[in-house]
Amino acid sequence: MPAVNAFMPDVNTITLDVALPNHTRRRVWSHPEVKSHSLVVLTFERLHVAPLTGAPKPDTLAAIEGGVDLEELFGPLAIVVDLAAVRHVKLDLLTNSLMVEYGNGGIGTRWLTIVFAKPETADACFTKLWRRLGDGCQLLPYQRDSWSLARAPLMFLLGILLATAAMALVLSVFEDMASARAAAQVSTPGLGEMGNKGNLPKSPLEVLLGWLDWRVVCGIGGVAAAVTQIWLYRRMTRPPLALELLRGA
């Protein structure tokens, strides 16, 4: 079962960054905390991503923090995403990947994937991006309906209980039949005197199930029911695999 990232944003606490100096400063993530790119810079209006060329120099990071022109610094190979064009954002909690779908100026859209080394870094970038996107992008429900999660285990558990009860009842009847057969002896003509005794033949179903005992059946059913309850518990407590933002959701 995948572990939940250390930080999960609260839908009620994420709001648009207001135009104050301490809220509009550039957010910077660099290699090696970013595995897929050298630099990721989030401004109030754009997301700038530089191709992977190794860890940036300290003076480059200082220049970014100081307000240098990012397009001039990064060059033509960088990817620049206008936040107003972002349509869909997905944070994969298993791979620490942030996937951003944005309009490319035409009819279609493009995807940008940023992979982080640690879940805390991926969470931080996702949260900051969510704040910059504002109320136009809403968090999709990341918890499935309880009934949809529990339906399959509960139906399986019900089937186990019914099958166990039916099998135990059938075996109990067979045991009663065997006891009655042992007590009811009949004469077998042609094999000797009339006092010669014989047993009634077993039915094919009795021969097939003769090795079973209702106690064994109940034990197997109990183990299967316990395993199903563990399955149900894990489905009900399983953390989400991804968090998603959708514009206009």
Side-chain angles (χ1 to χ4, degrees):
M1 183 173 61
V4 184
N5 282 14
F7 175 82
M8 183 176 295
D10 186 347
V11 67
N12 295 320
T13 61
I14 306 299
T15 57
L16 177 65
D17 282 348
V18 295
L20 295 177
N22 62 335
H23 285 275
T24 58
R25 70 180 181 87
R26 294 168 173 178
R27 311 292 181 174
V28 183
W29 299 271
S30 60
H31 186 79
E33 64 179 354
V34 180
K35 297 172 60 177
S36 57
H37 299 83
S38 290
L39 275 169
V40 176
V41 181
L42 177 64
T43 68
F44 193 74
E45 297 179 344
R46 294 180 179 87
L47 177 65
H48 300 257
V49 181
L52 183 60
T53 57
K57 297 179 180 180
D59 56 347
T60 301
L61 297 177
I64 294 174
E65 293 285 357
V68 69
D69 185 279
L70 295 178
E71 295 186 7
E72 180 179 349
L73 176 66
F74 285 179
L77 297 181
I79 299 175
V80 181
V81 178
D82 288 327
L83 299 188
V86 173
R87 299 289 175 263
H88 183 195
V89 179
K90 180 178 180 180
L91 174 62
D92 191 316
L93 301 177
L94 294 178
T95 62
N96 302 322
S97 300
L98 183 66
M99 291 162 279
V100 181
E101 182 186 13
Y102 61 98
N104 61 359
I107 300 177
T109 60
R110 293 180 180 177
W111 281 93
L112 168 64
T113 301
I114 306 171
V115 182
F116 296 89
K118 296 181 179 180
E120 295 82 5
T121 312
D123 288 337
C125 186
F126 177 79
T127 304
K128 296 296 189 297
L129 178 59
W130 185 2
R131 286 177 175 150
R132 295 294 170 90
L133 290 174
D135 296 335
C137 287
Q138 300 295 324
L139 180 68
L140 296 180
Y142 55 83
Q143 293 180 338
R144 295 171 55 190
D145 179 68
S146 298
W147 169 242
S148 65
L149 290 173
R151 180 171 53 227
L154 287 179
M155 296 301 293
F156 194 73
L157 178 60
L158 179 61
I160 290 174
L161 295 178
L162 291 177
T164 301
M167 184 63 70
L169 178 61
V170 170
L171 293 176
S172 178
V173 172
F174 284 171
E175 287 185 0
D176 293 341
M177 293 174 61
S179 299
R181 183 184 295 107
Q185 295 179 341
V186 297
S187 299
T188 305
L191 295 180
E193 299 178 353
M194 294 298 295
N196 190 19
K197 307 288 183 172
N199 292 328
L200 293 174
K202 294 182 178 181
S203 66
L205 186 59
E206 287 180 275
V207 174
L208 180 63
L209 301 178
W211 62 276
L212 284 176
D213 182 87
W214 67 270
R215 300 174 189 84
V216 176
V217 171
C218 290
I220 295 175
V223 172
V227 172
T228 305
Q229 292 178 56
I230 295 175
W231 177 28
L232 173 62
Y233 173 78
R234 289 188 174 181
R235 282 180 65 90
M236 297 299 294
T237 58
R238 184 176 61 186
L241 301 180
L243 299 176
E244 296 187 66
L245 300 173
L246 188 64
R247 185 172 295 280

